[in-house]
Amino acid sequence: MTELFSTNLQIIQQRWPALASALKFQSLDELDANLVTGNNQTISVNGIQLSSRHDRMAEAQLFINQLPLDCEQVTVYGVGMGDVPSILTDNKQIKNIDICPLNLGLFALLLSYTDQREWLTDSRIRIIELPNQHQIAEPYIAVTPDLLLADNENATLRDLLALENNREFANKQHQIDDPKLIKRFNENKQYLDQDPDAATLRLTHTQHNTLVIGSGPSLEAHYDYLKAQRALPIGKRPLMIAVDTAFKALSSQGITPDILVSIESNITLSHLPDEIPDSVTLVYFPRIPSNVIEHWPGPRFNAYSKGAIYNRLDAEYPKLRLFTNGSVIHPAIDLAAYLNSWEITLFGCDFSYPNNKTHAFWKDGSLGPKAENAKHWVINGHGDRVGTDLNFRAYLRSLEHYIRFKPQIKFYQSSLDGARIHGAQYRECKV
């Protein structure tokens, strides 16, 4: 314990005694900290600088400039080098400043080597030891290095902050006036005209138990279970809805889903089995290539996402609008919900790379990033960190948000090896 830590902690003890107790017992063993000197000094932790080494105050001001001009309260996620809360306390207009450390060990390290008394003593400051993991306070500032160094307990909150920070960039991939998108929609209008609305599937599918199948690596552990489910008599077996990239994996094991969902423009015939049973129903968004629709031998139904890019089409060809936020697993699950499912069990919905693999069946990297290049992590069902990418983290948190608004449905996840899905109970699925 350093003298600076004792000085800082004395203030925290007086104002937030529970936090002070927690800080005393933080281990710094996993934090590889080094002093970095440029025009300013900063600390590097595990290779990540807590602030700029060139102009710390200017960087902190950039964060603060994101706030509304008239704001009187602000929540700061992360602490960095303490520059953001320090500058905020100079603004007398702001009445309340909530500070949410995303890694208590990192906060303890900062208190050990820097003097933070200026803002710790400000009466407007409140330190939130256990911030809400499922809702971001507005307005807010997210100190970027702390997002990268967040601890396990704040992983969900970190992902929501990263998702929000990247929302504007992500939305640029889905512009209403995208010429390629308009061209694809025009090509597929003939199918919107001739193929029925996916909403009509409610008339023929009356099961209340649905298995939704993604293409995550844990799917491979459940082939026998899924085969056994398909062998049940009609009327007793659950509805089986799969995503397009899981179809080859299922087909290789002789498993035929009831419904296949496909939504992306980059799906090709090579993603599908050579022989597609004509019993499989395709539910598609008109972003998929025309030749995939034309090639489909079985029933075809169409639907849209709830995104603005489909509003014009929906005015001309009204269709079922399904929830999606980047992943095909979202509309597959929402379709199951629309079909009056009371129970939805998820297979291959890993949002991560268990066993250092990206997908079931597919060669690593053939559907996108390689597991060995993973730079991000989520907590799996065993409580351990497992590698993933930024997109998968966003898909996971969007699904958890969706689940919270479906309290009438029981959600289950079939594997503990993939990401822990809050709101879904673990269900062991063995023959």
mmCIF file of all heavy atoms in Angstrom, residues 198 261 263 283 285 302-307 319-325 330-338 402:
data_model
loop_
_atom_site.group_PDB
_atom_site.id
_atom_site.type_symbol
_atom_site.label_atom_id
_atom_site.label_comp_id
_atom_site.label_asym_id
_atom_site.label_seq_id
_atom_site.Cartn_x
_atom_site.Cartn_y
_atom_site.Cartn_z
ATOM 1 N N ALA A 198 -44.608 -14.203 -44.173
ATOM 2 C CA ALA A 198 -44.258 -15.160 -43.117
ATOM 3 C C ALA A 198 -45.265 -15.146 -41.970
ATOM 4 O O ALA A 198 -45.352 -16.114 -41.205
ATOM 5 C CB ALA A 198 -42.861 -14.848 -42.584
ATOM 6 N N VAL A 261 -34.064 -19.639 -41.797
ATOM 7 C CA VAL A 261 -34.143 -18.176 -41.867
ATOM 8 C C VAL A 261 -32.873 -17.642 -42.510
ATOM 9 O O VAL A 261 -31.762 -18.003 -42.123
ATOM 10 C CB VAL A 261 -34.337 -17.561 -40.471
ATOM 11 C CG1 VAL A 261 -34.362 -16.032 -40.549
ATOM 12 C CG2 VAL A 261 -35.620 -18.078 -39.834
ATOM 13 N N ILE A 263 -31.241 -13.803 -44.119
ATOM 14 C CA ILE A 263 -31.524 -12.368 -44.217
ATOM 15 C C ILE A 263 -30.433 -11.560 -44.898
ATOM 16 O O ILE A 263 -30.663 -10.420 -45.283
ATOM 17 C CB ILE A 263 -31.768 -11.764 -42.815
ATOM 18 C CG1 ILE A 263 -30.479 -11.767 -41.969
ATOM 19 C CG2 ILE A 263 -32.890 -12.501 -42.086
ATOM 20 C CD1 ILE A 263 -30.600 -10.984 -40.671
ATOM 21 N N VAL A 283 -37.750 -18.781 -44.808
ATOM 22 C CA VAL A 283 -38.223 -17.442 -44.444
ATOM 23 C C VAL A 283 -37.070 -16.489 -44.732
ATOM 24 O O VAL A 283 -36.002 -16.620 -44.135
ATOM 25 C CB VAL A 283 -38.656 -17.355 -42.975
ATOM 26 C CG1 VAL A 283 -38.966 -15.909 -42.591
ATOM 27 C CG2 VAL A 283 -39.866 -18.244 -42.723
ATOM 28 N N PHE A 285 -35.484 -12.436 -45.940
ATOM 29 C CA PHE A 285 -35.578 -10.995 -46.165
ATOM 30 C C PHE A 285 -35.168 -10.735 -47.609
ATOM 31 O O PHE A 285 -34.294 -11.453 -48.139
ATOM 32 C CB PHE A 285 -34.626 -10.228 -45.248
ATOM 33 C CG PHE A 285 -35.039 -10.174 -43.803
ATOM 34 C CD1 PHE A 285 -36.156 -10.845 -43.319
ATOM 35 C CD2 PHE A 285 -34.288 -9.430 -42.893
ATOM 36 C CE1 PHE A 285 -36.523 -10.786 -41.993
ATOM 37 C CE2 PHE A 285 -34.639 -9.368 -41.558
ATOM 38 C CZ PHE A 285 -35.754 -10.047 -41.103
ATOM 39 N N ASN A 302 -41.741 -14.545 -46.991
ATOM 40 C CA ASN A 302 -40.861 -13.410 -46.806
ATOM 41 C C ASN A 302 -41.270 -12.553 -45.614
ATOM 42 O O ASN A 302 -42.403 -12.615 -45.127
ATOM 43 C CB ASN A 302 -40.749 -12.555 -48.075
ATOM 44 C CG ASN A 302 -42.055 -12.469 -48.831
ATOM 45 O OD1 ASN A 302 -43.091 -12.174 -48.238
ATOM 46 N ND2 ASN A 302 -42.028 -12.733 -50.133
ATOM 47 N N ALA A 303 -40.308 -11.774 -45.149
ATOM 48 C CA ALA A 303 -40.500 -10.907 -43.993
ATOM 49 C C ALA A 303 -39.482 -9.774 -44.077
ATOM 50 O O ALA A 303 -38.593 -9.785 -44.943
ATOM 51 C CB ALA A 303 -40.331 -11.691 -42.691
ATOM 52 N N TYR A 304 -39.612 -8.809 -43.204
ATOM 53 C CA TYR A 304 -38.668 -7.689 -43.136
ATOM 54 C C TYR A 304 -38.164 -7.541 -41.694
ATOM 55 O O TYR A 304 -38.796 -8.029 -40.755
ATOM 56 C CB TYR A 304 -39.337 -6.364 -43.524
ATOM 57 C CG TYR A 304 -40.058 -6.336 -44.836
ATOM 58 C CD1 TYR A 304 -41.320 -5.727 -44.931
ATOM 59 C CD2 TYR A 304 -39.495 -6.873 -45.990
ATOM 60 C CE1 TYR A 304 -41.999 -5.664 -46.134
ATOM 61 C CE2 TYR A 304 -40.178 -6.820 -47.211
ATOM 62 C CZ TYR A 304 -41.427 -6.219 -47.271
ATOM 63 O OH TYR A 304 -42.094 -6.167 -48.471
ATOM 64 N N SER A 305 -37.068 -6.827 -41.556
ATOM 65 C CA SER A 305 -36.674 -6.393 -40.218
ATOM 66 C C SER A 305 -37.505 -5.166 -39.858
ATOM 67 O O SER A 305 -38.260 -4.641 -40.678
ATOM 68 C CB SER A 305 -35.183 -6.055 -40.166
ATOM 69 O OG SER A 305 -34.952 -4.741 -40.652
ATOM 70 N N LYS A 306 -37.344 -4.690 -38.647
ATOM 71 C CA LYS A 306 -38.049 -3.489 -38.214
ATOM 72 C C LYS A 306 -37.266 -2.221 -38.531
ATOM 73 O O LYS A 306 -37.687 -1.127 -38.164
ATOM 74 C CB LYS A 306 -38.338 -3.574 -36.707
ATOM 75 C CG LYS A 306 -39.295 -4.714 -36.361
ATOM 76 C CD LYS A 306 -39.584 -4.784 -34.875
ATOM 77 C CE LYS A 306 -40.564 -5.929 -34.584
ATOM 78 N NZ LYS A 306 -40.873 -6.030 -33.138
ATOM 79 N N GLY A 307 -36.135 -2.377 -39.243
ATOM 80 C CA GLY A 307 -35.315 -1.232 -39.609
ATOM 81 C C GLY A 307 -35.965 -0.370 -40.673
ATOM 82 O O GLY A 307 -36.795 -0.822 -41.471
ATOM 83 N N LYS A 319 -45.484 -6.904 -44.987
ATOM 84 C CA LYS A 319 -45.007 -8.201 -44.534
ATOM 85 C C LYS A 319 -44.764 -8.176 -43.027
ATOM 86 O O LYS A 319 -44.705 -7.115 -42.406
ATOM 87 C CB LYS A 319 -43.690 -8.578 -45.235
ATOM 88 C CG LYS A 319 -43.743 -8.555 -46.759
ATOM 89 C CD LYS A 319 -44.562 -9.703 -47.324
ATOM 90 C CE LYS A 319 -44.583 -9.654 -48.866
ATOM 91 N NZ LYS A 319 -45.355 -10.783 -49.438
ATOM 92 N N LEU A 320 -44.581 -9.358 -42.452
ATOM 93 C CA LEU A 320 -44.221 -9.486 -41.044
ATOM 94 C C LEU A 320 -42.895 -8.774 -40.790
ATOM 95 O O LEU A 320 -41.938 -8.947 -41.544
ATOM 96 C CB LEU A 320 -44.107 -10.970 -40.680
ATOM 97 C CG LEU A 320 -43.639 -11.301 -39.256
ATOM 98 C CD1 LEU A 320 -44.665 -10.824 -38.230
ATOM 99 C CD2 LEU A 320 -43.396 -12.810 -39.124
ATOM 100 N N ARG A 321 -42.837 -7.962 -39.737
ATOM 101 C CA ARG A 321 -41.605 -7.266 -39.360
ATOM 102 C C ARG A 321 -41.006 -7.978 -38.149
ATOM 103 O O ARG A 321 -41.637 -8.077 -37.088
ATOM 104 C CB ARG A 321 -41.871 -5.795 -39.024
ATOM 105 C CG ARG A 321 -42.602 -4.998 -40.095
ATOM 106 C CD ARG A 321 -41.783 -4.732 -41.335
ATOM 107 N NE ARG A 321 -40.656 -3.837 -41.147
ATOM 108 C CZ ARG A 321 -40.670 -2.516 -41.393
ATOM 109 N NH1 ARG A 321 -41.803 -1.934 -41.785
ATOM 110 N NH2 ARG A 321 -39.575 -1.795 -41.244
ATOM 111 N N LEU A 322 -39.779 -8.463 -38.300
ATOM 112 C CA LEU A 322 -39.107 -9.218 -37.245
ATOM 113 C C LEU A 322 -37.947 -8.426 -36.655
ATOM 114 O O LEU A 322 -37.304 -7.642 -37.350
ATOM 115 C CB LEU A 322 -38.588 -10.551 -37.796
ATOM 116 C CG LEU A 322 -39.645 -11.545 -38.265
ATOM 117 C CD1 LEU A 322 -38.994 -12.724 -38.964
ATOM 118 C CD2 LEU A 322 -40.499 -12.022 -37.093
ATOM 119 N N PHE A 323 -37.672 -8.674 -35.393
ATOM 120 C CA PHE A 323 -36.563 -8.010 -34.709
ATOM 121 C C PHE A 323 -35.227 -8.521 -35.241
ATOM 122 O O PHE A 323 -35.024 -9.726 -35.409
ATOM 123 C CB PHE A 323 -36.637 -8.280 -33.208
ATOM 124 C CG PHE A 323 -35.357 -7.970 -32.470
ATOM 125 C CD1 PHE A 323 -34.980 -6.655 -32.228
ATOM 126 C CD2 PHE A 323 -34.526 -8.993 -32.033
ATOM 127 C CE1 PHE A 323 -33.802 -6.370 -31.557
ATOM 128 C CE2 PHE A 323 -33.350 -8.712 -31.363
ATOM 129 C CZ PHE A 323 -32.988 -7.389 -31.119
ATOM 130 N N THR A 324 -34.320 -7.616 -35.514
ATOM 131 C CA THR A 324 -32.943 -7.998 -35.799
ATOM 132 C C THR A 324 -32.033 -6.847 -35.428
ATOM 133 O O THR A 324 -32.404 -5.681 -35.540
ATOM 134 C CB THR A 324 -32.734 -8.368 -37.278
ATOM 135 O OG1 THR A 324 -31.393 -8.822 -37.469
ATOM 136 C CG2 THR A 324 -32.994 -7.200 -38.192
ATOM 137 N N ASN A 325 -30.862 -7.199 -34.968
ATOM 138 C CA ASN A 325 -29.851 -6.198 -34.640
ATOM 139 C C ASN A 325 -28.481 -6.733 -35.030
ATOM 140 O O ASN A 325 -27.576 -6.820 -34.209
ATOM 141 C CB ASN A 325 -29.897 -5.823 -33.161
ATOM 142 C CG ASN A 325 -29.251 -4.476 -32.885
ATOM 143 O OD1 ASN A 325 -28.526 -3.936 -33.718
ATOM 144 N ND2 ASN A 325 -29.502 -3.936 -31.716
ATOM 145 N N HIS A 330 -31.343 -13.321 -34.441
ATOM 146 C CA HIS A 330 -32.396 -12.481 -33.863
ATOM 147 C C HIS A 330 -33.751 -12.709 -34.528
ATOM 148 O O HIS A 330 -34.745 -12.990 -33.829
ATOM 149 C CB HIS A 330 -32.006 -11.002 -33.958
ATOM 150 C CG HIS A 330 -30.799 -10.636 -33.147
ATOM 151 N ND1 HIS A 330 -29.947 -9.624 -33.505
ATOM 152 C CD2 HIS A 330 -30.299 -11.163 -32.003
ATOM 153 C CE1 HIS A 330 -28.979 -9.532 -32.610
ATOM 154 N NE2 HIS A 330 -29.160 -10.449 -31.690
ATOM 155 N N PRO A 331 -33.878 -12.586 -35.864
ATOM 156 C CA PRO A 331 -35.191 -12.835 -36.467
ATOM 157 C C PRO A 331 -35.632 -14.287 -36.353
ATOM 158 O O PRO A 331 -36.841 -14.561 -36.327
ATOM 159 C CB PRO A 331 -35.002 -12.412 -37.931
ATOM 160 C CG PRO A 331 -33.540 -12.442 -38.169
ATOM 161 C CD PRO A 331 -32.901 -12.098 -36.859
ATOM 162 N N ALA A 332 -34.683 -15.230 -36.283
ATOM 163 C CA ALA A 332 -35.073 -16.628 -36.093
ATOM 164 C C ALA A 332 -35.769 -16.800 -34.746
ATOM 165 O O ALA A 332 -36.793 -17.493 -34.638
ATOM 166 C CB ALA A 332 -33.839 -17.527 -36.179
ATOM 167 N N ILE A 333 -35.230 -16.150 -33.725
ATOM 168 C CA ILE A 333 -35.839 -16.217 -32.395
ATOM 169 C C ILE A 333 -37.160 -15.449 -32.369
ATOM 170 O O ILE A 333 -38.158 -15.913 -31.796
ATOM 171 C CB ILE A 333 -34.857 -15.665 -31.339
ATOM 172 C CG1 ILE A 333 -33.667 -16.619 -31.192
ATOM 173 C CG2 ILE A 333 -35.555 -15.451 -29.990
ATOM 174 C CD1 ILE A 333 -32.534 -16.063 -30.356
ATOM 175 N N ASP A 334 -37.189 -14.284 -33.010
ATOM 176 C CA ASP A 334 -38.420 -13.491 -33.012
ATOM 177 C C ASP A 334 -39.525 -14.200 -33.789
ATOM 178 O O ASP A 334 -40.707 -14.076 -33.447
ATOM 179 C CB ASP A 334 -38.149 -12.105 -33.609
ATOM 180 C CG ASP A 334 -39.234 -11.103 -33.254
ATOM 181 O OD1 ASP A 334 -39.858 -11.257 -32.187
ATOM 182 O OD2 ASP A 334 -39.445 -10.156 -34.031
ATOM 183 N N LEU A 335 -39.152 -14.936 -34.831
ATOM 184 C CA LEU A 335 -40.139 -15.725 -35.562
ATOM 185 C C LEU A 335 -40.734 -16.795 -34.650
ATOM 186 O O LEU A 335 -41.954 -17.022 -34.642
ATOM 187 C CB LEU A 335 -39.511 -16.368 -36.797
ATOM 188 C CG LEU A 335 -40.431 -17.270 -37.618
ATOM 189 C CD1 LEU A 335 -41.597 -16.476 -38.210
ATOM 190 C CD2 LEU A 335 -39.648 -17.955 -38.750
ATOM 191 N N ALA A 336 -39.874 -17.456 -33.878
ATOM 192 C CA ALA A 336 -40.368 -18.455 -32.925
ATOM 193 C C ALA A 336 -41.331 -17.822 -31.934
ATOM 194 O O ALA A 336 -42.377 -18.404 -31.608
ATOM 195 C CB ALA A 336 -39.189 -19.096 -32.189
ATOM 196 N N ALA A 337 -41.012 -16.633 -31.474
ATOM 197 C CA ALA A 337 -41.901 -15.927 -30.543
ATOM 198 C C ALA A 337 -43.220 -15.581 -31.222
ATOM 199 O O ALA A 337 -44.294 -15.723 -30.625
ATOM 200 C CB ALA A 337 -41.213 -14.668 -30.020
ATOM 201 N N TYR A 338 -43.155 -15.128 -32.469
ATOM 202 C CA TYR A 338 -44.360 -14.764 -33.214
ATOM 203 C C TYR A 338 -45.267 -15.974 -33.420
ATOM 204 O O TYR A 338 -46.500 -15.848 -33.437
ATOM 205 C CB TYR A 338 -43.982 -14.164 -34.564
ATOM 206 C CG TYR A 338 -45.180 -13.804 -35.412
ATOM 207 C CD1 TYR A 338 -45.882 -12.623 -35.186
ATOM 208 C CD2 TYR A 338 -45.630 -14.661 -36.417
ATOM 209 C CE1 TYR A 338 -46.997 -12.301 -35.934
ATOM 210 C CE2 TYR A 338 -46.747 -14.345 -37.178
ATOM 211 C CZ TYR A 338 -47.428 -13.168 -36.928
ATOM 212 O OH TYR A 338 -48.537 -12.864 -37.673
ATOM 213 N N TYR A 402 -33.722 -8.121 -25.835
ATOM 214 C CA TYR A 402 -34.956 -8.679 -26.401
ATOM 215 C C TYR A 402 -35.631 -9.619 -25.398
ATOM 216 O O TYR A 402 -36.850 -9.539 -25.177
ATOM 217 C CB TYR A 402 -34.621 -9.427 -27.687
ATOM 218 C CG TYR A 402 -35.773 -10.187 -28.298
ATOM 219 C CD1 TYR A 402 -36.637 -9.573 -29.207
ATOM 220 C CD2 TYR A 402 -35.994 -11.522 -27.975
ATOM 221 C CE1 TYR A 402 -37.698 -10.279 -29.765
ATOM 222 C CE2 TYR A 402 -37.045 -12.231 -28.526
ATOM 223 C CZ TYR A 402 -37.895 -11.604 -29.423
ATOM 224 O OH TYR A 402 -38.945 -12.306 -29.972
#
